[in-house]
Amino acid sequence: MAKLSKALAADLVARARAVRQRAYVAGSGFRVGAAVLGGSGAVYVGCNVENASYGLTICAERAAVCAAIAAGERELRAVAVVTGLQDPARPCGACRQVLAEFAPARGDLAVLLAGSGKAVARTTIARLLPDRFNFADIAKGRG
Ligand code: THU
């Protein structure tokens, strides 16, 4: 399990919970907030942004990852995801793949999942997405 202090974990969940209020959910009404901890120690947030052309919807996790990468981060240590459900929900497959791209070369990316209740589920990206597709596979077989 990736290491993360209790205080840092609580801060990430709080930041994800706060940004969740900014979600643009004109289609579903299902707000999601995410906060990622970059290798530098900085935190970046994102919320889901829906679109009338449904397939263009961006999940909160990927919005947060994009903010981190645009700020110069290349390794992410942790992510917190908060929904309005009573119990913690799990990140979608697309977001697992995108988060895994930036998991630390050594170690793992901690995943904290929370809902409207106090429970915070803890897992890691390696558990959520074992054997992912990666650039090393592409390098083996171009053309
Ligand atoms: N959603 C996320 O933001 N993250 C996930 O991991 C799963 C789903 C959003 C997308 C859409 O705006 C709404 O939740 C319902 O699918």
Side-chain angles (χ1 to χ4, degrees), residues 30-139:
F30 189 80
R31 294 177 186 276
V32 186
V36 298
L37 175 64
S40 74
V43 175
Y44 306 86
V45 296
C47 57
N48 52 335
V49 180
E50 299 188 340
N51 194 276
S53 179
Y54 296 134
L56 302 184
T57 290
I58 297 167
C59 292
E61 298 92 319
R62 279 179 287 151
V65 169
C66 289
I69 297 310
E73 303 285 355
R74 285 298 180 269
E75 280 197 348
L76 304 178
R77 291 175 51 201
V79 61
V81 186
V82 177
T83 73
L85 300 173
Q86 170 70 22
D87 295 322
R90 266 52 187 167
C92 79
C95 289
R96 294 178 193 204
Q97 176 74 19
V98 171
L99 286 162
E101 184 71 35
F102 301 106
R106 273 177 229 161
D108 204 348
L109 193 160
V111 179
L112 309 167
L113 303 165
S116 59
K118 281 191 179 164
V120 177
R122 257 193 90 154
T123 183
T124 71
I125 200 68
R127 270 199 209 157
L128 290 174
L129 188 69
D131 293 334
R132 74 180 170 97
F133 183 65
N134 59 47
F135 280 118
D137 294 330
I138 297 174

